[in-house]
Amino acid sequence: MSEPLRHGHLEEGVPADLPDELVTVLASGPGVRVVRIVSRGHVTPPGEWYEQAEDEFVLVVSGAARLEFGTHDLELRAGDWVDLSAGVRHRER
């Protein structure tokens, strides 16, 4: 049986030194997964692309992010979000 109540803080467990992105699953269930990704200037390695099998909703809580879609870039700042359909090829810049 799962816990009846789970809670936390978005900055909990984030080390001061972060050589790679930190990916943590915060919650999951049938058809949904909530993941915290902490990035401090990390980018997708040259020549690599993401192309997930599931839809992806990205919300920038603080800072900024830039996503490249091959033909154009999308600049996201705190409070911005984007809903990516499954199979959309993209990378972090």
Side-chain angles (χ1 to χ4, degrees):
M1 183 172 166
S2 64
E3 296 179 46
L5 174 68
R6 295 181 62 225
H7 74 284
H9 190 277
L10 286 177
E11 295 177 357
E12 181 179 30
V14 178
D17 182 34
L18 198 60
D20 297 309
E21 280 187 337
L22 176 65
V23 180
T24 309
V25 176
L26 299 178
S28 64
V32 67
R33 182 171 43 113
V34 179
V35 179
R36 173 189 71 178
I37 301 173
V38 180
S39 178
R40 295 193 180 135
H42 300 97
V43 297
T44 307
E48 291 187 23
W49 292 86
Y50 296 110
E51 201 168 337
Q52 283 95 309
E54 65 269 340
D55 294 343
E56 180 179 8
F57 181 87
V58 176
L59 168 65
V60 177
V61 175
S62 68
R66 180 182 302 189
L67 298 179
E68 178 185 350
F69 296 94
T71 58
H72 68 282
D73 288 0
L74 178 62
E75 188 80 31
L76 300 169
R77 301 208 182 281
D80 290 339
W81 59 270
V82 61
D83 188 10
L84 303 173
S85 297
V88 171
R89 191 171 186 243
H90 64 285
R91 52 185 277 119
E92 297 167 289
R93 292 190 32 147

